[in-house]
Amino acid sequence: MTKIAIITYSTYGHVDTLAKEIQKSIQDASKGFNDDVVDLFRLEETLSDDVLQAMHAPEKDASVPVIKVEDLINYDAFVFGIPTRFGSAPAQWLHFWDQTSSLWAQGQLYGKMASFFLSSGTYGGGLESTVRNTLSYLVHHGIIYVPLGYKNAFAELSNTEEVHGGTPWGATTLADTDGSRQPSDLELRIANIQGKTFYETVKRFAGESTEVQKKEKKTKITALQTVEKQAKKKEEKKEESKNFLTACCTLM
Ligand SMILES: Cc1cc2nc3c(=O)[nH]c(=O)nc-3n(C[C@H](O)[C@H](O)[C@H](O)COP(=O)(O)O)c2cc1C
């Protein structure tokens, strides 16, 4: 049984839209593993109602529970979603991790796995620096960072036909400076790929293979067997001509 928690902070909902896509993708990828769980949580809000009102922040989705630090122990892996704040993580992220020192002292999170997805207002607004700054939290807890990478999302990440977020560090979306832009289909596709890729990586570390991985493994084995068969045939032919030459020489 694998338990994954998707934990977000989102003021305007962009990060949460990506979170739902990642949750859906993990649920799709986990078909056949009926005990596996992927739950959504949000980080505790630290801003006052007055400040949130001044920022025109909408109400939070009450169906998504606030994560408590001890909840982390119950999960094998985490997908963290945060918006960029001055090229780094928001205060809500720091507030949460500042409460985890007893988990840290006991090594309770050591060996768990985590991935990131983000939202920023602009291009170059600090998506990559945000992930780099948050990596330190994982390192100190001994949590294994799983990047999105390019393997499964090369076409999407390298698309220069349209304006879009998405990095090998994790799925991202561009909210624009007034928050008016919503995650595009391409950004959602990248989020979807990240969910599936992350889940498969977590399962592989747990010693379990998803149907897709089993198929990939079978294809690799078949290819290897074909190469081996060809090499064997070549060897046999060589042996045959050697034997033929030996026979000829003996006759002469
Ligand atoms: C205090 C503050 C600082 C911000 N700093 C940055 C920044 O450094 N770079 C950037 O691109 N966007 C920045 N933004 C824009 C947010 O990243 C954007 O509102 C967020 O990604 C939207 O995601 P959400 O709807 O999930 O909250 C900032 C927003 C606020 C309120």
Side-chain angles (χ1 to χ4, degrees):
M1 179 188 190
T2 301
K3 291 185 80 179
I4 299 178
I6 302 176
I7 304 167
T8 65
Y9 176 73
S10 183
T11 308
Y12 300 106
H14 297 79
V15 168
D16 283 346
T17 303
L18 295 184
K20 283 185 189 133
E21 187 63 31
I22 290 173
Q23 184 186 36
K24 185 170 133 304
S25 156
I26 294 177
Q27 281 166 343
D28 287 347
S30 66
K31 291 218 166 95
F33 292 95
N34 297 337
D35 290 345
D36 286 1
V37 166
V38 51
D39 291 330
L40 282 181
F41 290 96
R42 61 189 167 85
L43 295 176
E44 190 183 351
E45 183 55 271
T46 56
L47 298 174
S48 69
D49 288 346
D50 286 351
V51 172
L52 288 168
Q53 213 174 353
M55 290 171 78
H56 306 290
E59 283 285 314
K60 303 257 192 285
D61 179 354
S63 70
V64 179
V66 172
I67 187 118
K68 295 187 289 298
V69 286
E70 56 273 23
D71 291 333
L72 296 177
I73 301 168
N74 300 325
Y75 288 86
D76 305 295
F78 316 105
V79 195
F80 295 113
I82 47 175
T84 294
R85 293 280 187 265
F86 306 105
S88 201
Q92 293 79 1
W93 169 268
L94 275 72
H95 171 70
F96 178 74
W97 286 101
D98 283 0
Q99 301 169 59
T100 61
S101 55
S102 68
L103 297 188
W104 165 81
Q106 297 163 33
Q108 294 263 23
L109 306 181
Y110 190 89
K112 294 181 188 280
M113 302 171 91
S115 200
F116 286 101
F117 61 100
L118 304 107
S119 169
S120 72
T122 62
Y123 269 133
L127 289 165
E128 293 183 359
S129 58
T130 301
V131 181
R132 289 173 74 123
N133 294 340
T134 50
L135 284 183
S136 182
Y137 295 83
L138 303 194
V139 169
H140 282 245
H141 276 286
I143 300 172
I144 303 160
Y145 168 57
V146 182
L148 167 61
Y150 278 97
K151 181 180 175 268
N152 296 333
F154 182 81
E156 289 79 7
L157 295 180
S158 60
N159 180 321
T160 52
E161 303 288 309
E162 63 177 85
V163 170
H164 68 92
T167 76
W169 298 79
T172 73
T173 185
L174 298 166
D176 211 336
T177 46
D178 60 359
S180 61
R181 186 178 178 278
Q182 293 307 310
S184 67
D185 287 349
L186 178 55
E187 289 166 346
L188 290 173
R189 205 156 66 238
I190 294 171
N192 192 289
I193 293 170
Q194 181 171 359
K196 184 173 168 291
T197 304
F198 181 68
Y199 177 75
E200 285 175 355
T201 307
V202 171
K203 293 303 273 184
R204 197 164 63 234
F205 270 73
E208 299 176 81
S209 302
T210 64
E211 284 311 310
V212 176
Q213 284 171 315
K214 278 182 200 158
K215 244 186 225 165
E216 275 179 7
K217 202 171 169 189
K218 217 171 160 187
T219 314
K220 272 186 199 158
I221 291 172
T222 314
L224 204 71
Q225 283 170 341
T226 311
V227 172
E228 276 171 1
K229 260 188 205 160
Q230 282 169 346
K232 203 173 162 200
K233 258 192 190 159
K234 218 172 159 185
E235 211 45 52
E236 281 170 359
K237 267 198 178 159
K238 239 187 194 171
E239 196 60 31
E240 261 175 33
S241 40
K242 212 167 97 191
N243 288 343
F244 177 72
L245 279 175
T246 317
C248 285
C249 289
T250 319
L251 281 177
M252 284 197 305

